[in-house]
Amino acid sequence: MKKITIHIYNSISDLPENWNEVATENHFLQIPYLKVLALSAPTNMQCFYIGFYENSELIGVSLAQYLDLNKLESFGERDNCFKTYIRNFIFRNFASHTLFIGNNMITGQNSYVFNKEISFKEVSEILMQASQELVAYFKKKNISIHLVSFKDFYQDCALEFKKHAFAKVYEFKTQPNMIFELPSNWSSKDDYFNAFSKKYRDQYKRSHKKMEGVELKELTYDEVFFHENRINELYHYVAKNAPFNTFFLADNHFSTFKKQCGDGFKIFGYFLDEKLIGFHSVLINDSVLETYFLGYDDQVQKEKMLYLNMLYNMTEFGITHQFKKIIFGRTALEIKSSIGATPIMMSGFIYHKIPLANRFMDKIFKKLEPETVWQQRHPFK
């Protein structure tokens, strides 16, 4: 392979015409989705679009995100303890300027894509080079990047990266990605229901009975725009009660996403007495269904078992539309396992600009990462 060069863009309008052709295997690196980020990124995030060239031919693309945590209103308000205070202090003072190679807004291996065969050695080297060029870019703007993180790689990929350019970079594993590999012989929600053991069939029936009076409706763009203030209220309630956040979505994010991606992005609203009490959203990535952000009214959620029913509805949508798998992400591990998702470990890599900090990264990272104790459920016969 000839030498690969890197070009970093900070505007969608500057991207080459064949960008989508190169990114065809991953919708989250194609221009419609990148426009969503450009038009409605969190207020503390700046996105960069990276092209990899062999001579003058574009052969690969990637995404980078810079986060300024000083602009964040909250890191998450669920846990109020001394350890959380210390964690927040460290992030604000020693990790407030963070660069991600990859997408910090979704879970999964979405950092890069190539349209030709390229070795893990070469990929690791050019990703590292791209991060160094971005660090230099910010240095010229008098912004010192504290942390650089390479996000979400499956274990086979991480193992190979560790042999090459990431050999001396700290590898971290956080909560697993909950993924539901859908059996190819399932075509209806009856197939799904009949596969449960009795305990989980009872759970399914009980939760559905609780939903009496609640109407589920897929929202059009006009309906998303009309309900956007309420959608944001419901989203913020859930987001602020998460154990940890590095961003909050912009107020126009959901309507922008629907406008740019159309049927590739779906939002479903839950209505009780004609009032929106919850919503969930999903992204269509070829044969993979990716769950996205959701929100709900906490009082109604408890009474109606709303969150559990959202998980069932997303699963049944995946089955009836013949997706191969559903990616549920990293939160609420136990309840997601109760509907059929299984944990898949993923790795990231991270380094700090202070060499001494990297020597103790293992101890530091374990102190900062919120601990999650959970029991995996096995709902099928």
Side-chain angles (χ1 to χ4, degrees):
M1 174 168 281
K2 300 180 180 67
K3 180 176 174 59
I4 297 175
T5 56
I6 298 171
H7 193 104
I8 297 173
Y9 303 89
N10 57 19
S11 172
I12 296 288
S13 61
D14 294 334
L15 298 184
E17 290 183 1
N18 64 331
W19 182 281
N20 280 349
E21 296 172 21
V22 175
T24 187
E25 292 185 5
N26 193 312
H27 286 212
F28 303 125
L29 290 168
Q30 294 174 16
I31 288 174
Y33 175 75
L34 298 182
K35 280 185 177 179
V36 175
L37 298 182
L39 295 170
S40 65
T43 55
N44 68 325
M45 177 183 289
Q46 183 179 357
C47 295
F48 297 86
Y49 320 101
I50 307 169
F52 302 114
Y53 290 84
E54 186 180 41
N55 293 336
S56 60
E57 179 190 358
L58 182 69
I59 63 166
V61 301
S62 183
L63 173 70
Q65 295 172 334
Y66 161 66
L67 266 70
D68 184 352
L69 301 186
N70 290 313
K71 296 180 179 179
L72 197 65
E73 58 184 285
S74 166
F75 286 110
E77 300 173 2
R78 190 192 72 182
D79 300 331
N80 186 15
C81 61
F82 183 69
K83 180 179 178 181
T84 302
Y85 172 82
I86 294 297
R87 180 200 68 192
N88 293 353
F89 175 83
I90 292 173
F91 268 99
R92 288 212 184 275
N93 291 277
F94 300 100
S96 58
H97 300 294
T98 299
L99 177 67
F100 287 93
I101 305 299
N103 192 334
N104 193 43
M105 297 175 68
I106 55 178
T107 302
Q109 189 164 310
N110 299 295
S111 297
Y112 65 88
V113 66
F114 288 86
N115 67 354
K116 64 186 300 181
E117 195 71 29
I118 181 170
S119 70
F120 283 116
K121 178 178 183 295
E122 289 168 310
V123 175
S124 68
E125 288 172 351
I126 58 181
L127 289 180
M128 183 63 72
Q129 183 183 341
S131 75
Q132 292 166 351
E133 290 189 17
L134 280 164
V135 169
Y137 166 86
F138 280 102
K139 187 175 182 180
K140 290 179 182 178
K141 293 181 172 291
N142 295 317
I143 297 173
S144 180
I145 297 295
H146 295 131
L147 283 174
V148 177
S149 179
F150 303 82
K151 187 175 181 291
D152 280 357
F153 302 104
Y154 291 111
Q155 295 302 285
D156 59 338
C157 182
L159 184 64
E160 292 297 323
F161 280 5
K162 198 69 177 171
K163 296 176 183 177
H164 304 294
F166 293 176
K168 296 182 180 180
V169 183
Y170 177 68
E171 179 184 0
F172 65 90
K173 294 179 174 66
T174 56
Q175 297 175 19
N177 189 3
M178 300 301 290
I179 298 178
F180 198 157
E181 299 276 355
L182 298 175
S184 59
N185 62 332
W186 286 2
S187 60
S188 70
K189 62 182 182 181
D190 289 338
D191 294 324
Y192 177 48
F193 175 78
N194 291 331
F196 283 129
S197 65
K198 183 180 183 306
K199 174 181 176 180
Y200 291 95
R201 284 200 305 272
D202 290 343
Q203 173 182 280
Y204 180 96
K205 289 187 287 187
R206 183 170 64 254
S207 66
H208 278 62
K209 187 173 179 59
K210 291 276 189 179
M211 286 286 282
E212 289 180 0
V214 176
E215 178 191 3
L216 174 62
K217 180 182 180 182
E218 182 177 351
L219 304 181
T220 64
Y221 166 75
D222 288 339
E223 289 170 325
V224 173
F225 187 81
F226 178 80
H227 290 289
E228 193 145 39
N229 287 340
R230 178 60 173 164
I231 288 172
N232 285 322
E233 284 180 15
L234 299 170
Y235 155 74
H236 271 93
Y237 173 79
V238 174
K240 285 189 174 183
N241 282 278
F244 186 65
N245 283 307
T246 55
F247 66 87
F248 289 94
L249 297 176
D251 289 345
N252 67 336
H253 184 77
F254 292 102
S255 61
T256 301
F257 211 145
K258 187 63 180 170
K259 184 176 183 179
Q260 291 296 325
C261 296
D263 285 340
F265 176 62
K266 295 182 178 291
I267 305 183
F268 296 85
Y270 294 76
F271 294 85
L272 182 62
D273 298 328
E274 299 185 353
K275 180 182 180 182
L276 184 66
I277 59 167
F279 76 93
H280 78 258
S281 56
V282 294
L283 317 175
I284 294 172
N285 194 7
D286 288 332
S287 63
V288 178
L289 184 66
E290 312 240 5
T291 65
Y292 200 55
F293 292 98
L294 56 79
Y296 49 70
D297 182 312
D298 187 47
Q299 295 304 313
V300 181
Q301 127 71 14
K302 293 175 181 177
E303 176 189 347
K304 297 293 186 180
M305 299 178 71
L306 198 54
Y307 181 68
L308 179 57
N309 279 289
M310 288 180 180
L311 296 177
Y312 285 133
N313 289 334
M314 287 185 270
T315 301
E316 290 169 1
F317 181 89
I319 293 167
T320 57
H321 289 81
Q322 292 294 287
F323 288 95
K324 291 183 178 179
K325 63 182 176 182
I326 306 172
I327 296 181
F328 280 102
R330 288 195 169 94
T331 58
L333 308 179
E334 191 161 325
I335 192 171
K336 286 174 180 175
S337 73
S338 79
I339 60 93
T342 56
I344 303 296
M345 289 307 302
M346 302 194 76
S347 289
F349 295 88
I350 192 168
Y351 69 86
H352 199 281
K353 70 163 188 175
I354 301 174
L356 183 62
N358 291 309
R359 292 176 57 187
F360 300 98
M361 187 62 77
D362 182 52
K363 292 182 179 179
I364 294 171
F365 193 88
K366 288 177 180 176
K367 294 286 186 182
L368 297 178
E369 173 66 15
E371 183 179 359
T372 300
V373 179
W374 69 290
Q375 180 181 350
Q376 184 178 351
R377 303 297 179 178
H378 303 276
F380 300 119
K381 298 173 186 174

